Amino acid sequence: TYNEQSVSLLPKQGGSSEADSETQALILKEGLELVFSVEGNYLQEILVREAARTLDTVSRQAVVQGLDLVTGGNAGAQLAFPAAMRSVVGKSEDDEVVMETLAEVLSAVQEANVDVGGPQGLASGLSSLGGKSVQEMLPGLDEVGPGLLATALRFNAALFERVSGRVLGEK
């Protein structure tokens, strides 16, 4: 079963670092293939929906903060937004939960000492997983490329559904 296979892939005590590196590369490859599956799956659905929620919330808060900078802190009072625009930049009932979740995820990433301060930081964090280059560890673009595209389309659909639901007044 999958559980037995997963357990068998875990690094063994006293194993060589090359074997550990190959094992980590295999686990990473299978994980990416699962997350970026062309067919889609339950895990991917959860991740895509949460990513869309998070991007929506963070984007709206950034727009409001930018407007507050321009208007001196009272964008709502000085700018007469059409109703559709108010619903686009207005607060959603799950904003607080989304931001708390994002803060916890970022805290966990920082605690794991993974430097995600940009593409180079992310690459150095990933490459420290086993001493191999990121290109050697990650599956080729030809393997996950179609899944990346399918996942991006699912993400766009989830984001559109979220924003259009708010604009049209749906819950």
Side-chain angles (χ1 to χ4, degrees):
T1 65
Y2 184 75
N3 288 340
E4 292 168 354
Q5 180 184 11
S6 296
V7 171
S8 69
L9 291 176
L10 294 175
K12 311 261 187 301
Q13 294 290 349
S16 71
S17 63
E18 185 175 316
D20 289 347
S21 175
E22 289 175 14
T23 300
Q24 288 175 343
L26 180 61
I27 292 170
L28 181 61
K29 179 181 179 208
E30 288 184 3
L32 288 173
E33 288 173 351
L34 176 68
V35 170
F36 297 115
S37 165
V38 173
E39 297 84 26
N41 54 59
Y42 186 65
L43 174 64
Q44 184 185 78
E45 181 181 333
I46 291 171
L47 293 174
V48 163
R49 291 230 177 258
E50 288 303 311
R53 281 178 61 191
T54 302
L55 180 65
D56 175 47
T57 301
V58 170
S59 298
R60 282 185 290 107
Q61 289 191 357
V63 167
V64 169
Q65 288 175 356
L67 289 173
D68 281 347
L69 284 174
V70 171
T71 62
N74 48 352
Q78 291 188 4
L79 299 175
F81 288 122
M85 183 65 174
R86 278 193 301 272
S87 65
V88 169
V89 297
K91 283 194 172 257
S92 183
E93 61 188 43
D94 64 350
D95 284 356
E96 189 174 317
V97 172
V98 171
M99 293 307 290
E100 288 174 5
T101 303
L102 179 61
E104 290 296 322
V105 168
L106 292 175
S107 175
V109 167
Q110 287 176 338
E111 286 177 18
N113 292 323
V114 176
D115 180 13
V116 291
Q120 293 171 339
L122 181 59
S124 69
L126 287 174
S127 66
S128 69
L129 290 174
K132 289 186 171 187
S133 72
V134 175
Q135 289 80 14
E136 291 174 326
M137 290 185 70
L138 297 179
L141 188 57
D142 58 330
E143 293 179 47
V144 294
L148 279 169
L149 179 60
T151 305
L153 291 173
R154 288 183 188 101
F155 172 78
N156 286 338
L159 187 58
F160 179 76
E161 179 184 328
R162 183 169 168 86
V163 173
S164 63
R166 191 173 45 258
V167 170
L168 297 174
E170 299 169 1
K171 292 289 177 185

